[in-house]
Amino acid sequence: MDDWWRGCVIYQIYPRSFQDTDGDGIGDLPGIIARLDHVAKLGADAVWLSPIFRSPMADMGYDVSDYCDIDPLFGGLADFDALLARAHELGLKVIIDMVLSHSSDQHPWFVESRANRDNPRADWYVWADPGPDGMPPNNWVSVFGGPAWEWDSRRRQYYLHNFLTAQPDLNFHNPEVQEAMLEIMRFWLERGVDGFRLDTVNYYFHDRKLRPNPPASRDDPHPSVNPYEMQDHRYQKNRPDNLAFLGRMRALMDRYDERVLIGEVGETPQRAIEIMAEYTRGAGRLHMAYSFDMLGPEFSARHFRSRIAKYFKAAPDGWPCWSFSNHDVERHVTRWAKHAAAEDALARQAVAMLLSFPGSACLYQGEELGLPESELDFDELTDPPGIRFWPEYKGRDGCRTPMPWTKARNAGFTRGTPWLPIKAPQAARNVAGEERDAGSVLAFYRAMLAWRRSQPALGMGSVRFFKTAEPVLAFRRTGPDGMIACVFNLSASGVAVKLRELEPIVGAPVQDARIEGGVLRLGPNGFAFLAPTGGADAGRVVFKG
């Protein structure tokens, strides 16, 4: 079977914000089709579509009311088929978001389940009796704040919701629920999709005994903005039962050629890499997984080195997928701004580094333009946690604003009123403008992806880190065609690094780097790719000076 996913580059499309064609201000499938050439020209191997299923949109599509139909906001099944055909014509795989841990409270399954306690789907969701005092059965907290239990007057029971109250959790301990989810996956596999991105893949199973969560170990004595962060959610997610179901999903995928499962591991930095490794070890689980370890504020050589090394130590036969931005987090050029002298320099360094890491990579729409986070006012927000925790947490709308295509009205995204505003800093970084600039972030992304594709060591080679002090991250990737040394200055100040038997690779991407007398001098956010002058293992980065 072709392991095309190993070393691939996935481009995440947030459909609401990619391209609108009908003037309602919301992106749609015909709009994606019209803009797929941009993704192909960038050099990606696949697209991941955030949810497009029927939904009341309480959580922008992550609350599904029909898993086998397209929401009319985006089009219909015929539009999806046309998108799939066009993507395949362009050599792009199509991965769709599957939100299996919970559904919408408007899904027919939940409507039936909540009607009474003895209907055919009464046990399809997680229901629990109240305590003697009428309180929920335990202390579990929702990711979006407040108790994870909601009282239902019809059944006179509580139901579990790890997210919004409008997103009840399905009961995966029920074999019928597992079969229903596998059948949904079959529906889309038969339609021709190339894989699934599995939302909150570590949330499928809960502790049957509903044991209370212990408090989290925290260094900060002050309460968090979100009480969810105050617990160790050992009984609410990450249950060992998950592994058997992942095996069933993988067995289904293996009946089809060239398909892939990518899991989103929602977990704290203390455990995320461990779970990523556990879920991808061997041949009978996920093909790949990613976590939020590189989607946070940490930007240091120690951090990136430790995440990669820890993963491969725990899962030497596993495969990770790394990313720096997505629809759930602040865009990385804003998040890491204090480590950069200029946004564009950071944007170029970030993609050069990401595409040098062992594993696959995911790019989020707009990062190829160097888009910063949008600054929104409270009355412009749509994101539930942003509204709830404002102003300490401003939510996820800032990274979800529409894609800027041209300098025309609404940046060429819509002829109507966009569902989120397009601010001037984002509109200025439009695709058409950057295409005319040979020094733009977009031009660099295209060059970096093309060069990576020409270097087998970067796609599939092994990794070994050099011993360098902060802020220098240095490692070598070794493949059948030789070795590449990758050296990055993760700071806004210049650094010098001594080299032995290494020289610049002609034609390789580079930023603010020069070699003088065996010393590599890197300017702010500078980086270089080097090759050994002697044998395949001759090159060494000795120390930072």
Side-chain angles (χ1 to χ4, degrees):
M1 183 175 292
D2 180 15
D3 288 347
W4 63 268
W5 46 271
R6 292 186 185 272
C8 74
V9 176
I10 302 166
Y11 185 92
Q12 182 192 356
I13 291 176
Y14 194 69
R16 294 180 71 90
S17 295
F18 204 58
Q19 178 68 65
D20 172 33
T21 60
D22 60 11
D24 66 356
I26 296 174
D28 46 45
L29 296 185
I32 295 173
I33 296 169
R35 298 294 189 181
L36 277 178
D37 283 334
H38 169 75
V39 183
K41 189 175 180 181
L42 188 66
D45 301 294
V47 294
W48 150 27
L49 305 180
S50 289
I52 51 177
F53 308 120
R54 280 189 179 268
S55 167
M57 300 294 165
D59 188 25
M60 299 305 166
Y62 285 89
D63 49 319
V64 179
S65 58
D66 187 339
Y67 287 96
C68 295
D69 199 5
I70 304 297
D71 194 280
L73 276 175
F74 304 122
L77 284 170
D79 295 306
F80 179 81
D81 292 341
L83 187 158
L84 198 62
R86 178 57 180 154
H88 288 166
E89 284 176 7
L90 292 169
L92 294 168
K93 306 287 188 181
V94 177
I95 297 165
I96 61 174
D97 223 320
M98 292 301 291
V99 190
L100 303 182
S101 68
H102 54 270
S103 75
S104 165
D105 62 356
Q106 295 183 33
H107 195 293
W109 295 346
F110 187 71
V111 172
E112 183 177 356
S113 185
R114 77 189 313 180
N116 53 59
R117 300 191 188 191
D118 56 7
N119 66 78
R121 291 193 172 90
D123 191 41
W124 277 44
Y125 291 81
V126 183
W127 294 96
D129 292 329
D133 58 356
M135 295 298 287
N138 60 31
N139 68 341
W140 296 356
V141 181
S142 162
V143 175
F144 290 164
W149 297 96
E150 180 72 6
W151 178 253
D152 185 82
S153 59
R154 278 156 284 197
R155 285 185 54 141
R156 292 173 173 78
Q157 286 182 304
Y158 286 96
Y159 67 84
L160 177 66
H161 61 92
N162 273 298
F163 297 90
L164 296 176
T165 57
Q167 295 170 294
D169 274 62
L170 284 142
N171 179 18
F172 275 78
H173 290 292
N174 185 332
E176 293 180 352
V177 171
Q178 294 187 33
E179 287 299 330
M181 292 309 181
L182 293 173
E183 189 57 38
I184 288 164
M185 293 174 69
R186 286 188 197 96
F187 173 86
W188 292 104
L189 289 167
E190 291 294 331
R191 209 161 195 103
V193 302
D194 301 290
F196 303 105
R197 178 264 186 186
L198 302 171
D199 185 67
T200 57
V201 71
N202 54 320
Y203 282 75
Y204 294 162
F205 287 83
H206 65 285
D207 177 49
R208 284 182 182 270
K209 296 179 181 179
L210 302 182
R211 286 171 283 188
N213 288 324
S217 299
R218 299 171 60 243
D219 296 327
D220 185 355
H222 301 289
S224 301
V225 170
N226 187 345
Y228 186 81
E229 297 170 10
M230 301 179 197
Q231 289 186 1
D232 174 356
H233 299 274
R234 67 179 64 177
Y235 297 119
Q236 199 169 344
K237 60 181 180 179
N238 303 329
R239 304 306 299 160
D241 315 71
N242 245 31
L243 294 174
F245 185 62
L246 295 184
R248 296 192 68 193
M249 297 171 84
R250 180 61 180 266
L252 171 63
M253 299 295 286
D254 287 348
R255 295 177 198 150
Y256 297 83
D257 292 336
E258 300 182 26
R259 310 301 169 98
V260 68
L261 285 173
I262 308 170
E264 176 203 37
V265 173
E267 188 47 84
T268 61
Q270 291 78 14
R271 292 203 62 200
I273 294 294
E274 171 191 335
I275 296 168
M276 274 180 64
E278 183 178 38
Y279 282 17
T280 55
R281 273 198 297 265
R285 300 176 185 179
L286 302 177
H287 296 85
M288 297 188 284
Y290 78 89
S291 68
F292 286 75
D293 277 59
M294 294 188 185
L295 295 165
E298 283 271 352
F299 188 78
S300 68
R302 181 206 59 79
H303 177 68
F304 293 122
R305 183 170 56 241
S306 67
R307 300 301 86 191
I308 294 169
K310 183 176 180 179
Y311 175 82
F312 283 104
K313 182 178 180 180
D317 61 345
W319 199 256
C321 184
W322 308 111
S323 57
F324 291 161
S325 284
N326 70 18
H327 66 294
D328 279 332
V329 299
E330 185 179 32
R331 288 186 177 273
H332 64 261
V333 295
T334 299
R335 194 169 72 243
W336 294 333
K338 68 179 182 181
H339 302 282
E343 284 184 345
D344 283 5
L346 176 61
R348 286 188 287 265
Q349 181 186 62
V351 72
M353 187 164 62
L354 181 67
L355 295 180
S356 303
F357 289 168
S360 297
C362 189
L363 308 176
Y364 179 50
Q365 67 178 53
E367 70 175 79
E368 74 273 22
L369 306 174
L371 286 189
E373 184 83 351
S374 291
E375 288 287 338
L376 302 180
D377 297 328
F378 180 77
D379 60 3
E380 294 172 324
L381 298 185
T382 67
D383 186 36
I387 293 169
R388 179 163 193 162
F389 297 119
W390 178 277
E392 286 75 14
Y393 174 64
K394 297 183 178 180
R396 301 167 293 179
D397 287 323
C399 67
R400 298 177 176 184
T401 56
M403 184 82 170
W405 294 102
T406 69
K407 66 178 181 179
R409 178 176 173 269
N410 294 326
F413 166 71
T414 180
R415 64 179 183 272
T417 301
W419 75 284
L420 284 175
I422 305 169
K423 304 285 185 169
Q426 286 70 37
R429 291 176 170 273
N430 61 76
V431 173
E434 293 206 15
E435 282 194 319
R436 293 191 295 270
D437 180 2
S440 68
V441 174
L442 176 59
F444 182 82
Y445 263 70
R446 289 174 174 170
M448 183 66 210
L449 265 75
W451 187 71
R452 180 182 186 269
R453 191 183 294 273
S454 73
Q455 305 296 321
L458 292 184
M460 295 294 294
S462 62
V463 64
R464 181 176 177 183
F465 289 94
F466 295 111
K467 292 180 179 180
T468 53
E470 296 288 353
V472 175
L473 175 66
F475 53 90
R476 68 184 188 191
R477 301 294 310 280
T478 304
D481 295 337
M483 184 270 275
I484 298 174
C486 313
V487 188
F488 301 89
N489 169 23
L490 305 186
S491 79
S493 302
V495 298
V497 183
K498 284 192 176 181
L499 305 175
R500 286 183 185 169
E501 298 180 284
L502 285 170
E503 62 184 5
I505 298 174
V506 176
V510 65
Q511 178 164 273
D512 203 351
R514 68 184 189 278
I515 294 180
E516 298 174 343
V519 175
L520 174 64
R521 300 191 181 277
L522 296 173
N525 303 111
F527 59 85
F529 296 100
L530 311 156
T533 57
D537 295 320
R540 287 174 61 193
V541 176
V542 185
F543 68 92
K544 176 223 168 226

